[in-house]
Amino acid sequence: MSKKILITYATYTGSAETVAGIISSDLTARGLTTEVVPMKEVNDLSKYDAVVAGSAIHSGRWLPEAFDFLNTHRQELNSRPFAAYLVCMTMAMKKRDKYLQFVSDFMIPVREIVKPVSEGHFAGKLEIRKIKSLSEKIKFRISVSAGVWKEGDHINSSEIVKWSESLSHIL
């Protein structure tokens, strides 16, 4: 019998959802059964053998609904394999290796609630028009003008699939 894996996400502009879909497609191709559900819609984890959860990073943290999910399901998440990923524009920077520890530290509050068996750190899409806050739009426009980031799709499917492949062996 195939294990059933929940892939759940909290997204700000859609990138975390896109990453969830790539993970689901890869794990399904490897013979696992997956279900992709937004964190806000997850009520019961009893039918899943493992959970992969991801969130966009906003102001250096997972989104509030992601923390709500972790806190609500803490006991169940700690009783099964749990992997976590984040989607962060810092991972799209030219010298991103320089910032890997900085980005990894965004997972500290997650690790304090549930200890992931694996963590993935991925770049997302920068679509300034989708950013809700005017001040955030201005910050990103300044960063783009300064050459810190480029607007557009920075999701690297091959990096996500590589991480997903490692999950197929531990979930």
Side-chain angles (χ1 to χ4, degrees):
M1 182 169 94
S2 176
K3 291 192 172 203
K4 188 167 187 180
I5 300 171
L6 171 65
I7 303 169
T8 188
Y9 62 89
T11 194
Y12 189 70
T13 61
S15 296
E17 179 179 11
T18 300
V19 172
I22 294 168
I23 295 166
S24 176
S25 294
D26 180 67
L27 291 176
T28 300
R30 296 177 190 284
L32 299 168
T33 302
T34 66
E35 186 173 354
V36 179
V37 182
M39 285 182 186
K40 288 180 177 181
E41 296 177 18
V42 176
N43 297 314
D44 179 22
L45 298 181
S46 64
K47 63 183 178 179
Y48 303 106
D49 299 296
V51 175
V52 177
S55 177
I57 295 297
H58 189 262
S59 300
R61 295 181 53 86
W62 269 28
L63 297 176
E65 61 264 31
F67 281 110
D68 289 346
F69 170 82
L70 293 176
N71 286 313
T72 298
H73 300 286
R74 175 190 305 241
Q75 185 174 351
E76 291 173 289
L77 292 169
N78 279 303
S79 70
R80 61 185 38 83
F82 169 77
Y85 69 90
L86 59 79
V87 179
C88 174
M89 285 309 299
T90 303
M91 295 302 293
M93 294 176 76
K94 292 175 188 169
K95 297 181 181 180
R96 75 180 201 166
D97 291 346
K98 181 178 173 182
Y99 300 100
L100 288 177
Q101 185 59 54
F102 174 73
V103 171
S104 180
D105 287 349
F106 295 158
M107 295 296 279
I108 291 171
V110 173
R111 293 183 206 123
E112 291 172 351
I113 300 168
V114 184
K115 177 78 173 110
V117 295
S118 182
E119 295 178 13
H121 308 141
F122 308 113
K125 297 175 196 168
L126 178 54
E127 298 174 287
I128 295 174
R129 66 180 170 73
K130 287 187 173 182
I131 296 173
K132 298 165 184 120
S133 158
L134 179 59
S135 64
E136 291 290 319
K137 283 182 181 186
I138 292 168
K139 287 180 200 175
F140 274 104
R141 288 204 189 283
I142 291 169
S143 295
V144 168
S145 295
V148 176
W149 289 298
K150 290 182 182 176
E151 194 162 5
D153 188 346
H154 302 279
I155 295 174
N156 185 327
S157 295
S158 62
E159 284 182 3
I160 298 163
V161 167
K162 183 177 178 182
W163 183 67
S164 181
E165 179 181 10
S166 74
L167 293 182
S168 69
H169 303 291
I170 57 179
L171 295 179

